[in-house]
Short mmCIF file of all heavy atoms in Angstrom, two decimals:
data_model
loop_
_atom_site.label_atom_id
_atom_site.label_comp_id
_atom_site.label_asym_id
_atom_site.label_seq_id
_atom_site.Cartn_x
_atom_site.Cartn_y
_atom_site.Cartn_z
N THR A 956 2.42 -2.13 -12.18
CA THR A 956 1.89 -1.76 -13.50
C THR A 956 1.33 -0.34 -13.49
O THR A 956 1.13 0.24 -14.55
CB THR A 956 0.80 -2.75 -13.98
OG1 THR A 956 -0.24 -2.81 -13.02
CG2 THR A 956 1.37 -4.12 -14.23
N SER A 957 1.14 0.21 -12.32
CA SER A 957 0.69 1.60 -12.20
C SER A 957 1.87 2.57 -12.09
O SER A 957 1.69 3.77 -11.92
CB SER A 957 -0.20 1.77 -10.97
OG SER A 957 -1.37 0.99 -11.10
N GLY A 958 3.10 2.03 -12.16
CA GLY A 958 4.29 2.86 -12.08
C GLY A 958 4.87 2.98 -10.69
O GLY A 958 5.81 3.75 -10.48
N GLY A 959 4.33 2.24 -9.74
CA GLY A 959 4.79 2.32 -8.36
C GLY A 959 5.68 1.17 -7.98
O GLY A 959 6.00 0.30 -8.78
N HIS A 960 6.10 1.19 -6.72
CA HIS A 960 6.94 0.14 -6.15
C HIS A 960 6.39 -0.23 -4.78
O HIS A 960 5.90 0.64 -4.05
CB HIS A 960 8.38 0.64 -5.98
CG HIS A 960 9.04 1.01 -7.26
ND1 HIS A 960 9.63 0.09 -8.09
CD2 HIS A 960 9.16 2.20 -7.88
CE1 HIS A 960 10.12 0.70 -9.15
NE2 HIS A 960 9.84 1.99 -9.05
N PRO A 961 6.49 -1.49 -4.40
CA PRO A 961 6.03 -1.89 -3.07
C PRO A 961 7.00 -1.48 -1.96
O PRO A 961 6.65 -1.53 -0.79
CB PRO A 961 5.92 -3.41 -3.17
CG PRO A 961 6.88 -3.78 -4.26
CD PRO A 961 6.90 -2.62 -5.21
N GLN A 962 8.22 -1.06 -2.34
CA GLN A 962 9.22 -0.63 -1.37
C GLN A 962 9.74 0.75 -1.77
O GLN A 962 9.79 1.08 -2.95
CB GLN A 962 10.37 -1.61 -1.29
CG GLN A 962 9.96 -2.97 -0.79
CD GLN A 962 11.13 -3.93 -0.75
OE1 GLN A 962 12.07 -3.82 -1.51
NE2 GLN A 962 11.05 -4.88 0.16
N ARG A 963 10.15 1.50 -0.79
CA ARG A 963 10.69 2.84 -1.03
C ARG A 963 11.96 2.76 -1.89
O ARG A 963 12.81 1.91 -1.66
CB ARG A 963 10.99 3.50 0.31
CG ARG A 963 11.39 4.94 0.19
CD ARG A 963 11.50 5.53 1.58
NE ARG A 963 11.85 6.93 1.51
CZ ARG A 963 11.56 7.81 2.45
NH1 ARG A 963 10.94 7.42 3.54
NH2 ARG A 963 11.90 9.06 2.33
N GLN A 964 12.05 3.66 -2.85
CA GLN A 964 13.20 3.76 -3.74
C GLN A 964 13.93 5.07 -3.47
O GLN A 964 13.38 5.98 -2.85
CB GLN A 964 12.74 3.71 -5.20
CG GLN A 964 11.87 2.52 -5.56
CD GLN A 964 12.63 1.22 -5.50
OE1 GLN A 964 13.68 1.07 -6.11
NE2 GLN A 964 12.10 0.27 -4.72
N ASP A 965 15.15 5.20 -3.97
CA ASP A 965 15.91 6.44 -3.79
C ASP A 965 15.22 7.65 -4.40
O ASP A 965 15.35 8.76 -3.90
CB ASP A 965 17.31 6.32 -4.40
CG ASP A 965 18.20 5.36 -3.61
OD1 ASP A 965 17.92 5.12 -2.42
OD2 ASP A 965 19.18 4.88 -4.19
N ASN A 966 14.47 7.43 -5.48
CA ASN A 966 13.80 8.54 -6.19
C ASN A 966 12.33 8.69 -5.82
O ASN A 966 11.59 9.40 -6.50
CB ASN A 966 13.97 8.39 -7.69
CG ASN A 966 13.31 7.13 -8.23
OD1 ASN A 966 12.96 6.22 -7.48
ND2 ASN A 966 13.15 7.06 -9.54
N THR A 967 11.88 8.06 -4.75
CA THR A 967 10.48 8.17 -4.34
C THR A 967 10.14 9.61 -3.98
O THR A 967 10.86 10.24 -3.21
CB THR A 967 10.19 7.25 -3.13
OG1 THR A 967 10.37 5.89 -3.53
CG2 THR A 967 8.78 7.44 -2.61
N SER A 968 9.04 10.09 -4.56
CA SER A 968 8.59 11.45 -4.25
C SER A 968 7.19 11.46 -3.64
O SER A 968 6.82 12.42 -2.97
CB SER A 968 8.60 12.33 -5.50
OG SER A 968 7.70 11.82 -6.47
N HIS A 969 6.41 10.39 -3.87
CA HIS A 969 5.03 10.31 -3.37
C HIS A 969 4.73 8.92 -2.85
O HIS A 969 5.30 7.93 -3.33
CB HIS A 969 4.04 10.68 -4.48
CG HIS A 969 4.07 12.13 -4.80
ND1 HIS A 969 5.06 12.70 -5.56
CD2 HIS A 969 3.24 13.13 -4.44
CE1 HIS A 969 4.85 13.99 -5.65
NE2 HIS A 969 3.76 14.29 -4.98
N VAL A 970 3.84 8.86 -1.89
CA VAL A 970 3.40 7.60 -1.30
C VAL A 970 1.88 7.57 -1.32
O VAL A 970 1.22 8.56 -1.00
CB VAL A 970 3.87 7.48 0.17
CG1 VAL A 970 3.43 6.16 0.77
CG2 VAL A 970 5.36 7.64 0.27
N VAL A 971 1.33 6.43 -1.70
CA VAL A 971 -0.12 6.23 -1.61
C VAL A 971 -0.35 5.14 -0.56
O VAL A 971 0.16 4.04 -0.68
CB VAL A 971 -0.74 5.82 -2.96
CG1 VAL A 971 -2.23 5.58 -2.81
CG2 VAL A 971 -0.47 6.89 -4.02
N SER A 972 -1.07 5.51 0.49
CA SER A 972 -1.43 4.52 1.51
C SER A 972 -2.85 4.05 1.22
O SER A 972 -3.68 4.81 0.74
CB SER A 972 -1.33 5.13 2.90
OG SER A 972 -2.21 6.22 3.02
N PHE A 973 -3.09 2.78 1.51
CA PHE A 973 -4.42 2.22 1.27
C PHE A 973 -4.63 1.03 2.21
O PHE A 973 -3.68 0.43 2.69
CB PHE A 973 -4.60 1.80 -0.20
CG PHE A 973 -3.58 0.81 -0.68
CD1 PHE A 973 -3.83 -0.55 -0.63
CD2 PHE A 973 -2.35 1.23 -1.17
CE1 PHE A 973 -2.89 -1.47 -1.07
CE2 PHE A 973 -1.40 0.33 -1.61
CZ PHE A 973 -1.67 -1.03 -1.56
N TRP A 974 -5.89 0.74 2.46
CA TRP A 974 -6.25 -0.37 3.32
C TRP A 974 -6.31 -1.67 2.53
O TRP A 974 -6.79 -1.70 1.41
CB TRP A 974 -7.62 -0.14 3.96
CG TRP A 974 -7.58 0.86 5.05
CD1 TRP A 974 -7.93 2.18 4.96
CD2 TRP A 974 -7.16 0.64 6.39
NE1 TRP A 974 -7.75 2.80 6.16
CE2 TRP A 974 -7.28 1.87 7.06
CE3 TRP A 974 -6.70 -0.47 7.09
CZ2 TRP A 974 -6.95 2.01 8.40
CZ3 TRP A 974 -6.37 -0.32 8.42
CH2 TRP A 974 -6.51 0.91 9.07
N HIS A 975 -5.84 -2.75 3.15
CA HIS A 975 -6.05 -4.10 2.64
C HIS A 975 -6.93 -4.80 3.65
O HIS A 975 -6.56 -4.94 4.82
CB HIS A 975 -4.73 -4.86 2.47
CG HIS A 975 -4.96 -6.31 2.19
ND1 HIS A 975 -5.46 -6.76 1.00
CD2 HIS A 975 -4.77 -7.40 2.97
CE1 HIS A 975 -5.58 -8.08 1.05
NE2 HIS A 975 -5.17 -8.49 2.24
N ILE A 976 -8.11 -5.19 3.22
CA ILE A 976 -9.06 -5.86 4.10
C ILE A 976 -9.24 -7.29 3.58
O ILE A 976 -9.83 -7.49 2.52
CB ILE A 976 -10.41 -5.11 4.14
CG1 ILE A 976 -10.15 -3.68 4.62
CG2 ILE A 976 -11.41 -5.85 5.02
CD1 ILE A 976 -11.30 -2.74 4.45
N PRO A 977 -8.67 -8.26 4.29
CA PRO A 977 -8.73 -9.65 3.83
C PRO A 977 -10.17 -10.09 3.53
O PRO A 977 -11.07 -9.86 4.34
CB PRO A 977 -8.14 -10.44 4.98
CG PRO A 977 -7.26 -9.47 5.69
CD PRO A 977 -7.97 -8.15 5.57
N GLY A 978 -10.34 -10.68 2.36
CA GLY A 978 -11.66 -11.16 1.96
C GLY A 978 -12.66 -10.05 1.72
O GLY A 978 -13.83 -10.31 1.48
N GLY A 979 -12.23 -8.81 1.81
CA GLY A 979 -13.12 -7.68 1.60
C GLY A 979 -14.05 -7.40 2.76
O GLY A 979 -14.86 -6.48 2.71
N CYS A 980 -13.94 -8.18 3.85
CA CYS A 980 -14.86 -7.98 4.97
C CYS A 980 -14.25 -8.26 6.34
O CYS A 980 -14.89 -8.04 7.35
CB CYS A 980 -16.10 -8.84 4.78
SG CYS A 980 -15.75 -10.60 4.72
N ASP A 981 -13.01 -8.71 6.38
CA ASP A 981 -12.38 -9.06 7.66
C ASP A 981 -11.67 -7.83 8.22
O ASP A 981 -10.44 -7.72 8.23
CB ASP A 981 -11.40 -10.21 7.44
CG ASP A 981 -10.81 -10.72 8.74
OD1 ASP A 981 -11.17 -10.20 9.82
OD2 ASP A 981 -9.99 -11.66 8.68
N TYR A 982 -12.44 -6.90 8.75
CA TYR A 982 -11.90 -5.63 9.23
C TYR A 982 -11.00 -5.79 10.45
O TYR A 982 -10.13 -4.97 10.68
CB TYR A 982 -13.04 -4.65 9.53
CG TYR A 982 -13.73 -4.20 8.27
CD1 TYR A 982 -14.85 -4.87 7.80
CD2 TYR A 982 -13.24 -3.12 7.54
CE1 TYR A 982 -15.48 -4.46 6.63
CE2 TYR A 982 -13.86 -2.71 6.38
CZ TYR A 982 -14.98 -3.39 5.92
OH TYR A 982 -15.59 -3.00 4.76
N SER A 983 -11.17 -6.85 11.21
CA SER A 983 -10.34 -7.05 12.39
C SER A 983 -8.89 -7.36 12.01
O SER A 983 -7.99 -7.20 12.83
CB SER A 983 -10.91 -8.15 13.28
OG SER A 983 -10.93 -9.38 12.60
N ASN A 984 -8.66 -7.80 10.79
CA ASN A 984 -7.31 -8.10 10.31
C ASN A 984 -6.85 -7.14 9.21
O ASN A 984 -5.92 -7.44 8.47
CB ASN A 984 -7.22 -9.55 9.82
CG ASN A 984 -7.29 -10.52 10.98
OD1 ASN A 984 -6.54 -10.40 11.95
ND2 ASN A 984 -8.20 -11.47 10.91
N ALA A 985 -7.49 -5.99 9.11
CA ALA A 985 -7.14 -5.01 8.09
C ALA A 985 -5.75 -4.43 8.36
O ALA A 985 -5.33 -4.31 9.51
CB ALA A 985 -8.17 -3.89 8.06
#
């Protein structure tokens, strides 16, 4: 909904990397 894709596309020009931290606090499984 932000205009992105979860997988690389042929026309990809930019990538945003971000952390996913399970439960918002499980840093050992980030």
Side-chain angles (χ1 to χ4, degrees):
T956 57
S957 297
H960 298 277
Q962 296 179 332
R963 187 173 182 155
Q964 307 293 307
D965 290 338
N966 63 345
T967 296
S968 62
H969 288 77
V970 181
V971 178
S972 60
F973 57 93
W974 285 99
H975 170 70
I976 302 168
C980 61
D981 186 1
Y982 291 92
S983 62
N984 289 308

